[in-house]
Amino acid sequence: MDFDIVVVGAGASGISSALSAAQSGAKVALLEKGEKYGGAGMFGAQGLFAVGSKEQLKRGEEYTIKDAYNEIMNYTHHSSNARMVKAILRESASTIDWMKENGLDSELVTNTQEVHQEHPRTYHQFIDKFNGFKRIIDNFIKSGGILMTNTSGQELIQQDGRIIGIKIVKNNKEEILNTKAVILADGGFVGNDAEVKQYAKIDSQKMYSMGERKAVGDGLRMLKEVGGVNNYKRIFENHAATVYSENNPKWHNNTIFTLTNLPSLWIDAEGKRFTNEDIVYDFALWGDTVYQAGGCYYFLLDQKLVDYLKLHSLDWTDSFERTFRLLDGQKMTYQVGPFPQIDSDLQEAITEGVGVKASDLVELAKKIDVEPATLKNSVTRYNQLVKKGEDTDFYKDSKFMDVAVEQGPFYAIRSNSTTLGTVGGALVNESFQALTSNRKVIPGVYVVGNNAGGLFDSSYPTIEGLSNAFAWNSGRIAGLVAAQSIKK
């Protein structure tokens, strides 16, 4: 079969690439390894970032491309590709309109995290997401595009340094698609355990992945095979932390998960407090601090707090409450609890191997494998700060310094580093053309979304929805550039 452009991967960046290229007159094939299109951009994300959108201007949001540019560049210490940053920001507002025109509408909502409420609103939440994605795909097909599910890219075929085809596997059978350009959009390598282990800065067994398991690095491998760079700034999208059971990955307990999302006392593998726990209200920074602490920590509860929460609410906020309230349209409560079944919930966590209970701190230390004297000193020091009502060690907000850890029995619940996926690997320019190690364009090869390096540096930025915006905008840019290139 002959195509102008073949897009590998039907997540947000692949769909965007394919649609923009097809609407520019190119004959496009969109490959999806699984049975369903959408990837993390549909099944995981709820919206995306934009600056200067019609809704932002209508509501008087004083946030410009310059503001966003400076925020991103300062966050990455100017190690981002400045031209790429500017390209993504410049297209972001028109991409919101383009998505709406093609059936996937969104609305400007308050930022989804408590700590970002004073930041200008940038988060555009999807309206009717799943049907919207279907309408996008329908428009791709109406524009002459062909969607191939159960199809994976295997090898790029070159002749005289130019792409002439791609070897694919469709329903377990090898085929060759003739094409002038390929856009690699298959979502990084988070599903490849060996590569995750290689590139993680922590024990990868301590990371809980929420990423696309089909994303095993095929695109990055194919890129290297044709002379591209595939190990440029490979990073993980550290995002919050979670309690998960190795025995039962589908286990979920609402009480335990709510307790995880609070700024209580956190203890690392040394038995020491390691951060300002109200970092829990910024998911990216929460993820980063857990990552640097080795990938997991324990949050501690005492019996006094457990007994209190059986009957009463705590005037703290579940860090994910606003995210959920934006989706269900309910008002914020700014409270957690009561949890009438907290005793059985804690016992369930213990049974699942994610929690321990001990009569005293010495026993607790032994159960979580830390030095008893170190743990006792850490808890004693924290209780002293609670009595003062001021955290002079890590400067947690004083409103959270009112819950001591004093009365046994004590509980420790393990919380692990969470990743949304991987970002980076491919060295590309601002048009998302693949580059060699000496920064020369590889004709006909484009890399977008989570495969592409250059926007992020060492971690997932705190601007809400930026990762998904990068996917949609990098795809749209690459699709347009590729379509224009084949016409020349």
Side-chain angles (χ1 to χ4, degrees):
M1 299 179 70
D2 294 342
F3 294 93
D4 295 321
I5 300 169
V6 174
V7 181
V8 180
S13 65
I15 291 171
S16 183
S17 298
L19 179 61
S20 62
Q23 290 182 337
S24 297
K27 184 178 180 182
V28 183
L30 175 60
L31 314 185
E32 168 53 43
K33 180 183 287 187
E35 295 180 355
K36 299 178 180 179
Y37 58 79
M42 183 173 78
F43 293 105
Q46 302 298 335
L48 71 164
F49 161 92
V51 57
S53 71
K54 291 177 181 177
E55 277 293 302
Q56 287 168 315
L57 296 176
K58 179 181 178 181
R59 299 190 187 189
E61 293 295 337
E62 297 181 357
Y63 189 68
T64 65
I65 289 177
K66 179 181 178 181
D67 294 329
Y69 173 87
N70 286 332
E71 186 171 355
I72 293 169
M73 296 302 291
N74 288 336
Y75 185 88
T76 65
H77 305 287
H78 283 256
S79 62
S80 298
N81 181 326
R83 292 192 300 270
M84 179 185 292
V85 172
K86 190 66 180 293
I88 294 294
L89 297 177
R90 186 175 56 241
E91 296 298 324
S92 64
S94 64
T95 293
I96 295 291
D97 294 338
W98 174 74
M99 293 168 71
K100 180 178 180 178
E101 291 166 4
N102 283 284
L104 181 53
D105 200 359
S106 59
E107 59 183 336
L108 182 66
V109 296
T110 179
N111 295 325
T112 67
Q113 300 173 43
E114 284 305 299
V115 74
H116 298 161
Q117 294 312 296
E118 299 303 317
H119 188 283
R121 288 174 291 180
T122 64
Y123 196 73
H124 295 69
Q125 184 169 279
F126 292 135
I127 300 172
D128 194 22
K129 180 176 68 171
F130 294 105
N131 287 324
F133 266 82
K134 184 180 184 303
R135 289 188 287 268
I136 287 268
I137 291 293
D138 288 345
N139 276 320
F140 165 65
I141 294 171
K142 288 177 183 177
S143 299
I146 296 177
L147 173 65
M148 298 182 179
T149 57
N150 298 304
T151 306
S152 60
Q154 294 297 307
E155 181 183 346
L156 303 184
I157 303 171
Q158 289 178 308
Q159 186 177 79
D160 299 325
R162 305 190 72 85
I163 292 295
I164 62 168
I166 180 173
K167 182 186 293 184
I168 67 169
V169 173
K170 180 176 174 60
N171 295 321
N172 298 317
K173 294 182 179 180
E174 283 193 357
E175 295 182 32
I176 300 292
L177 301 181
N178 299 319
T179 186
K180 302 170 186 175
V182 173
I183 301 176
L184 301 172
D186 56 325
F189 61 94
V190 75
N192 187 320
D193 292 340
E195 292 201 357
V196 168
K197 182 177 181 180
Q198 177 183 352
Y199 287 97
K201 300 297 191 296
I202 62 174
D203 180 354
S204 60
Q205 297 300 309
K206 294 181 179 178
M207 294 176 64
Y208 177 74
S209 174
M210 297 177 65
E212 175 57 74
R213 298 302 298 174
K214 298 193 300 292
V216 296
D218 288 338
L220 293 173
R221 172 186 54 77
M222 289 188 283
L223 174 64
K224 184 177 181 180
E225 291 170 352
V226 295
V229 176
N230 78 342
N231 60 355
Y232 178 70
K233 292 187 176 180
R234 288 191 175 203
I235 67 170
F236 292 88
E237 290 185 285
N238 303 325
H239 185 269
T242 194
V243 176
Y244 78 97
S245 168
E246 296 176 355
N247 303 323
N248 180 12
K250 294 184 178 181
W251 173 72
H252 182 91
N253 182 293
N254 287 333
T255 298
I256 299 302
F257 279 71
T258 298
L259 294 173
T260 308
N261 302 332
L262 302 178
S264 52
L265 171 58
W266 299 353
I267 296 295
D268 66 12
E270 297 180 65
K272 299 176 181 178
R273 187 175 176 224
F274 62 97
T275 192
N276 166 355
E277 294 93 350
D278 66 29
I279 205 75
V280 73
Y281 294 110
D282 190 308
F283 302 154
L285 300 184
W286 179 12
D288 285 346
T289 198
V290 179
Y291 192 78
Q292 72 79 30
C296 70
Y297 64 92
Y298 287 89
F299 62 88
L300 305 189
L301 312 170
D302 73 350
Q303 192 62 45
K304 180 180 179 180
L305 178 60
V306 171
D307 290 340
Y308 179 86
L309 287 173
K310 289 179 188 177
L311 302 173
H312 306 285
S313 297
L314 188 65
D315 292 331
W316 292 2
T317 302
D318 180 329
S319 60
F320 277 93
E321 183 183 8
R322 184 173 291 276
T323 303
F324 296 141
R325 294 292 77 85
L326 284 171
L327 293 174
D328 65 20
Q330 300 298 310
K331 292 183 178 180
M332 291 285 292
T333 67
Y334 297 106
Q335 291 183 330
V336 294
F339 304 113
Q341 307 299 320
I342 191 170
D343 287 331
S344 59
D345 291 328
L346 288 167
Q347 182 55 53
E348 188 175 296
I350 294 168
T351 301
E352 291 293 340
V354 299
V356 298
K357 178 181 180 180
S359 59
D360 56 43
L361 292 175
V362 172
E363 181 187 3
L364 190 73
K366 292 178 180 177
K367 287 189 173 184
I368 63 174
D369 193 26
V370 300
E371 176 61 41
T374 302
L375 180 62
K376 288 184 68 175
N377 289 339
S378 297
V379 174
T380 298
R381 172 60 178 168
Y382 185 76
N383 290 336
Q384 290 171 348
L385 296 174
V386 170
K387 289 179 181 178
K388 289 171 56 178
E390 182 182 8
D391 179 12
T392 53
D393 286 352
F394 297 114
Y395 313 107
K396 180 159 63 177
D397 194 308
S398 294
K399 66 184 178 183
F400 303 119
M401 296 301 294
D402 59 354
V403 177
V405 181
E406 295 177 314
Q407 297 181 15
F410 301 95
Y411 302 84
I413 309 296
R414 188 187 71 234
S415 191
N416 284 70
S417 179
T418 302
T419 181
L420 298 180
T422 63
V423 175
L427 180 63
V428 296
N429 62 20
E430 67 273 19
S431 296
F432 298 93
Q433 297 169 297
L435 302 178
T436 64
S437 58
N438 60 356
R439 309 234 168 186
K440 301 300 182 183
V441 170
I442 303 174
V445 182
Y446 301 80
V447 190
V448 297
N450 282 8
N451 280 345
L455 180 68
F456 305 148
D457 177 37
S458 60
S459 68
Y460 180 54
T462 59
I463 298 177
E464 294 187 12
L466 184 59
S467 180
N468 201 27
F470 181 63
W472 280 97
N473 285 282
S474 63
R476 184 176 175 220
I477 291 169
L480 290 169
V481 172
Q484 292 167 0
S485 297
I486 62 174
K487 294 177 181 178
K488 293 179 180 179

